[in-house]
């Protein structure tokens, strides 16, 4: 989608701090980190929000990559939090589906 911020990051039209990339997902550092480690993982296919995505394969790949990035790449051995904000009421600001990985410190509830 040409007017989507995260699609522009995938395409390299806007610079971002890449953490991981493959055919299905792109992962990059959040520009306003809320923890010592704050990475966003997004599908390369534009999906606006979780509500719009009824595709178990896409969601399975997304969650699998979240696990791989957090555990195997970032080595968040003490643990981490995964958040998906869904639409305005859930605090979603960028309407391209994304999972937040937060870690690097003990997170308050
Ligand atoms: P959400 O509120 O779940 O939609 O989260 C959107 C996230 O995208 C926020 O944590 C922002 O800090 C982050 N963000 C916005 N613009 C950029 C950008 N250009 N590069 C990296 N992260 C961004
Ligand atoms: Zn997009």
């Amino acid at each position: 989608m040409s007017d989507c911020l995260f699609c522009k990051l995938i395409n390299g039209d806007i610079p971002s701090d890449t953490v991981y990339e493959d055919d299905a997902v792109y992962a990059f550092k959040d520009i306003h980190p809320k923890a010592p480690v704050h990475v966003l993982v997004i599908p390369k296919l534009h999906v606006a929000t979780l509500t719009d995505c009824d595709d178990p394969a896409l969601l399975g790949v997304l969650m699998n990559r979240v696990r791989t990035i957090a555990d195997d790449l970032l080595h968040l051995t003490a643990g981490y939090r995964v958040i998906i904000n869904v639409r305005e009421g859930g605090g979603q600001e960028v309407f391209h589906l994304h999972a937040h990985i937060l870690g690097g410190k003990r997170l308050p509830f």
Side-chain angles (χ1 to χ4, degrees):
M1 268 235 319
S2 55
D3 62 346
C4 168
L5 172 63
F6 285 178
C7 283
K8 288 177 183 163
L9 300 191
I10 292 168
N11 294 335
D13 296 338
I14 294 175
S16 55
D17 201 340
T18 304
V19 171
Y20 175 85
E21 181 171 18
D22 63 24
D23 288 349
V25 307
Y26 181 60
F28 54 99
K29 291 184 183 173
D30 195 292
I31 206 166
H32 295 123
K34 312 226 170 20
V37 176
H38 188 170
V39 170
L40 302 177
V41 187
I42 66 179
K44 285 194 169 173
L45 184 74
H46 178 85
V47 173
T49 188
L50 187 62
T51 302
D52 295 342
C53 187
D54 197 19
D55 182 344
L58 186 148
L59 294 174
V61 168
L62 183 67
M63 271 305 134
N64 171 262
R65 298 303 191 273
V66 165
R67 191 213 74 78
T68 303
I69 292 164
D71 289 300
D72 302 340
L73 190 65
L74 300 173
H75 300 292
L76 296 172
T77 51
Y80 53 89
R81 183 170 296 167
V82 179
I83 297 172
I84 297 177
N85 296 324
V86 184
R87 294 184 278 122
E88 288 86 350
Q92 184 175 3
E93 292 179 349
V94 178
F95 279 75
H96 180 128
L97 176 63
H98 52 280
H100 298 252
I101 298 171
L102 294 158
K105 70 170 186 183
R106 187 163 184 92
L107 297 163
F109 183 77

